[in-house]
Amino acid sequence: MSFSTKLHENAKYSGSKIAYYFKDQSSTYAELNQAITQFASGLEKLGIKKGDHIALLLDNSPQFVISLHGAFRLGATVIPINPIYTANEIGYILNNGDVKAVVALKSLIPLLEQKQTLLSKVEHYVYVETEQKTENLESLSIYSKLKSFTNLMASGNLNFQEPEIHGEDVAVILYTSGTTGKPKGAMLTHKNLYSNAMDVSHDLKMTSDDRIITVLPMFHAFCLTDCLNAPIVCGATILIVPKFSPKEIFRLGKKYKPTIFFGVPTMYSFLYQFSEGNPEHLEALRFCFSGGASLPVSLLRNFEDKFNVVILEGYGLSETSPTTTFNPLDRERKPGSIGTSIIHVENKVVNELGEEVPVGEVGELIVRGPNVMKGYYKMPEETKRAIKDGWLYTGDLATMDEDGYFYIVDRKKDLIIVGGYNVYPREVEEALYHHPDIVEAAVFGIPDSDRSEAVVAYVVTKNPFITEEQLHAYCKEHLAKYKLPSVIEMIEELPKSGTGKILRRVLKEQQVEKMRGAMLIG
């Protein structure tokens, strides 16, 4: 079975069912399936064939869905890219990913023009109209390579002959954020993606009656599988949201009665704090799902109490398509846990020798299953380091309890060593989140000549009168001495990635620069 076959089945047996709503306009599965075929045919007429790479620089939209599955139907490999990346970041991925065609927002075409001399492999730029005004494209040097999405669709036909797609064919290359060095492209096969979508929909008991809010960015693995492909394989309805807005989420809740919401911790924080949010508008939700980063337990409990809906935490990463665990619907939900292994996927916690550690001990989380990537694109050595004997080493420190529930302690690289003691940033962040005035917190370590490293905390508060001294005093009451932040910085907003994940790395760089400046002045 493949996504293309499944979409054909949906169109044949439930063609009148609504596949998605977007800005209050709807499309049935029959209409979606036809559009996917037209797009695949249009790509083929441009000269794109099975095995070629195409990049998507799009926001959440029907065009993303059509482009993604149209490319799958053709057998092309898709490289989704965050459309807010800089020209340098986009240029690197397009070049490293050997991209032959780009489907992008029209407003991004001038940005791509900046890198055109380095992108000799890109033969076609397909642009999607946007509300944002753009300069006259006729003046661009890449004008001869441009084609509108509308015209591409019009050029396609429904007599398209699909090539044979194999499970081990690469469907998507997802480039990691590249916190160290250049981004790496995780190669996910059709088997990887389809199996994970099926397993997620199975364990979350998704049906064709579900309506899923799809507000996480489609270019990210979390949304790609859980909010897009999993609903498609069970014929559910997707509520496509271009950009996260608490007001819009509650509007959709009132109008369409969504049954599932997938989000990251920052989204739950904003929804909880939204003064106009009416709990009755979310009453149709069967459950919420949180991933992408650790959800503070205090926020989880506050949100659940206010909206009377359970939040299931889960875990995944790009290299695993992405989902590997979540709290099960039919068994105990343990706050703070990422849950148990999903069907067909194994997780375990090991020491430096790859040996499984006893229950409750900290080690590295490793994963094995049909969802584990084929490898990193053009990086065989990195692939060997990441995958050993079929197990993917995640780089995350975790524990497992006697019931098989896993708990993420922290990223292995984020561990702080203070005077020989291990300090896990999440533990300090949890303590800070329990303070009634703290909205967000991020903790990391910086070099310290006396203790190897020192703990630094950045916080966002809703009390303009609170002082650093008061926060230091609060920490002394709730944390062991070696875990105490040496520095607490209060800022208006924490930097976040396109998926809403707090960027500790950016804050750490800012703090180190601040220290250097202070030393120079001194």
Side-chain angles (χ1 to χ4, degrees):
M1 184 66 77
S2 67
F3 288 117
S4 187
T5 304
K6 195 67 179 176
L7 279 158
H8 281 310
E9 286 185 358
N10 290 349
K12 181 177 180 180
Y13 298 111
S14 52
S16 61
K17 175 75 191 302
I18 300 299
Y20 65 79
Y21 286 98
F22 177 70
K23 295 184 177 179
D24 296 323
Q25 299 295 311
S26 65
S27 178
T28 66
Y29 269 102
E31 291 167 339
L32 173 61
N33 192 54
Q34 179 175 314
I36 287 167
T37 297
Q38 285 181 265
F39 185 84
S41 175
L43 279 183
E44 185 181 53
K45 289 185 177 181
L46 284 183
I48 306 300
K49 58 186 183 301
K50 180 181 176 180
D52 286 340
H53 295 182
I54 75 165
L56 305 186
L57 276 158
L58 301 171
D59 51 13
N60 287 10
S61 61
Q63 288 88 348
F64 189 105
V65 182
I66 293 165
S67 299
L68 177 76
H69 284 279
F72 286 176
R73 186 159 289 178
L74 177 62
T77 297
V78 178
I79 301 180
I81 304 175
N82 187 339
I84 68 169
Y85 275 178
T86 65
N88 286 339
E89 291 170 321
I90 293 170
Y92 173 80
I93 295 173
L94 295 180
N95 196 38
N96 182 262
D98 299 312
V99 171
K100 190 172 180 179
V102 178
V103 184
L105 299 171
K106 187 177 182 181
S107 57
L108 294 179
I109 297 300
L111 187 75
L112 295 169
E113 167 82 0
Q114 295 177 26
K115 292 293 175 182
Q116 59 87 22
T117 55
L118 301 176
L119 303 176
S120 57
K121 297 171 188 174
V122 179
E123 299 176 6
H124 304 283
Y125 296 88
V126 179
Y127 64 86
V128 174
E129 294 286 354
T130 59
E131 296 176 359
Q132 185 177 341
K133 290 184 178 181
T134 56
E135 61 185 79
N136 183 8
L137 300 185
E138 293 181 8
S139 63
L140 302 180
S141 61
I142 60 173
Y143 180 71
S144 61
K145 298 181 178 182
L146 294 179
K147 191 180 189 74
S148 75
F149 187 90
T150 302
N151 288 339
L152 176 74
M153 292 289 291
S155 71
N157 62 65
L158 300 180
N159 297 321
F160 171 71
Q161 295 298 308
E162 299 180 29
E164 186 177 358
I165 307 298
H166 303 283
E168 294 306 313
D169 292 339
V170 178
V172 163
I173 299 177
L174 289 176
Y175 276 80
T176 62
S177 56
T179 53
T180 56
K182 293 290 187 182
K184 300 188 291 284
M187 296 184 290
L188 302 178
T189 65
H190 284 270
K191 178 184 177 182
N192 291 156
L193 290 174
Y194 191 80
S195 68
N196 205 228
M198 288 295 290
D199 292 346
V200 166
S201 65
H202 173 274
D203 282 11
L204 291 179
K205 297 177 171 53
M206 280 189 192
T207 72
S208 59
D209 293 328
D210 276 312
R211 294 172 299 283
I212 293 90
I213 294 180
T214 302
V215 66
L216 290 164
M218 289 181 175
F219 60 77
H220 192 272
F222 187 4
C223 183
L224 204 63
T225 289
D226 293 40
C227 310
L228 188 56
N229 290 336
I232 283 175
V233 297
C234 61
T237 297
I238 301 164
L239 306 177
I240 301 174
V241 187
K243 186 178 181 181
F244 176 72
S245 155
K247 185 176 181 179
E248 177 64 4
I249 298 302
F250 284 106
R251 186 190 75 83
L252 292 173
K254 181 180 181 180
K255 183 168 184 175
Y256 296 106
K257 305 298 180 187
T259 58
I260 303 174
F261 176 79
F262 290 92
V264 293
T266 51
M267 290 181 179
Y268 289 103
S269 178
F270 284 126
L271 289 171
Y272 175 71
Q273 295 175 64
F274 187 58
S275 59
E276 301 172 36
N278 187 338
E280 292 182 4
H281 294 167
L282 301 182
E283 63 183 2
L285 288 174
R286 291 199 292 119
F287 63 86
C288 293
F289 190 102
S290 181
S294 298
L295 179 68
V297 175
S298 58
L299 174 58
L300 179 146
R301 296 191 187 283
N302 288 338
F303 187 94
E304 290 184 341
D305 289 344
K306 182 173 182 178
F307 297 106
N308 193 32
V309 60
V310 67
I311 300 178
L312 304 178
E313 275 200 273
Y315 172 85
L317 60 166
S318 297
E319 290 86 344
T320 55
S321 304
T323 309
T324 71
T325 71
F326 49 68
N327 277 266
L329 279 172
D330 55 358
R331 281 175 284 144
E332 180 184 6
R333 190 282 311 264
K334 296 189 178 185
S337 166
I338 58 170
T340 58
S341 298
I342 67 170
I343 188 172
H344 301 137
V345 176
E346 298 176 76
N347 294 266
K348 66 180 181 179
V349 182
V350 301
N351 60 21
E352 296 292 338
L353 300 176
E355 304 164 334
E356 194 163 6
V357 302
V359 167
E361 284 196 15
V362 176
E364 184 173 357
L365 184 67
I366 63 174
V367 184
R368 181 169 67 180
N371 57 323
V372 172
M373 69 171 180
K374 193 170 188 174
Y376 291 116
Y377 187 58
K378 299 193 297 191
M379 290 184 170
E381 293 305 315
E382 291 284 354
T383 300
K384 287 179 184 178
R385 279 193 283 270
I387 303 176
K388 302 169 188 174
D389 299 323
W391 290 90
L392 178 88
Y393 282 67
T394 68
D396 282 322
L397 297 173
T399 62
M400 186 186 76
D401 68 16
E402 63 281 357
D403 298 319
Y405 285 71
F406 293 90
Y407 297 78
I408 294 297
V409 177
D410 236 305
R411 286 293 294 171
K412 194 173 182 180
K413 67 177 183 296
D414 289 335
L415 176 67
I416 307 169
I417 309 294
V418 179
Y421 292 99
N422 289 351
V423 178
Y424 302 105
R426 185 185 177 186
E427 184 180 11
V428 182
E429 289 168 358
E430 285 282 0
L432 289 166
Y433 271 110
H434 274 91
H435 191 290
D437 291 327
I438 289 180
V439 178
E440 292 183 319
V443 172
F444 53 88
I446 58 172
D448 182 86
S449 57
D450 296 327
R451 297 171 295 169
S452 182
E453 288 184 289
V455 179
V456 175
Y458 274 65
V459 299
V460 177
T461 75
K462 57 185 177 183
N463 179 358
F465 302 107
I466 197 167
T467 65
E468 291 179 32
E469 290 74 19
Q470 289 172 319
L471 292 178
H472 278 293
Y474 170 83
C475 289
K476 287 181 180 178
E477 293 179 11
H478 295 84
L479 293 165
K481 188 175 181 180
Y482 70 91
K483 300 176 184 177
L484 294 175
S486 298
V487 177
I488 298 178
E489 295 273 1
M490 289 186 285
I491 56 177
E492 291 185 2
E493 184 179 2
L494 297 181
K496 299 179 182 70
S497 68
T499 58
K501 183 183 293 186
I502 294 171
L503 298 174
R504 286 179 182 158
R505 168 177 50 88
V506 174
L507 293 170
K508 186 171 182 175
E509 290 170 356
Q510 290 176 1
Q511 186 63 29
V512 170
E513 281 300 314
K514 186 180 292 186
M515 289 172 58
R516 286 175 181 159
M519 291 172 63
L520 289 172
I521 293 171

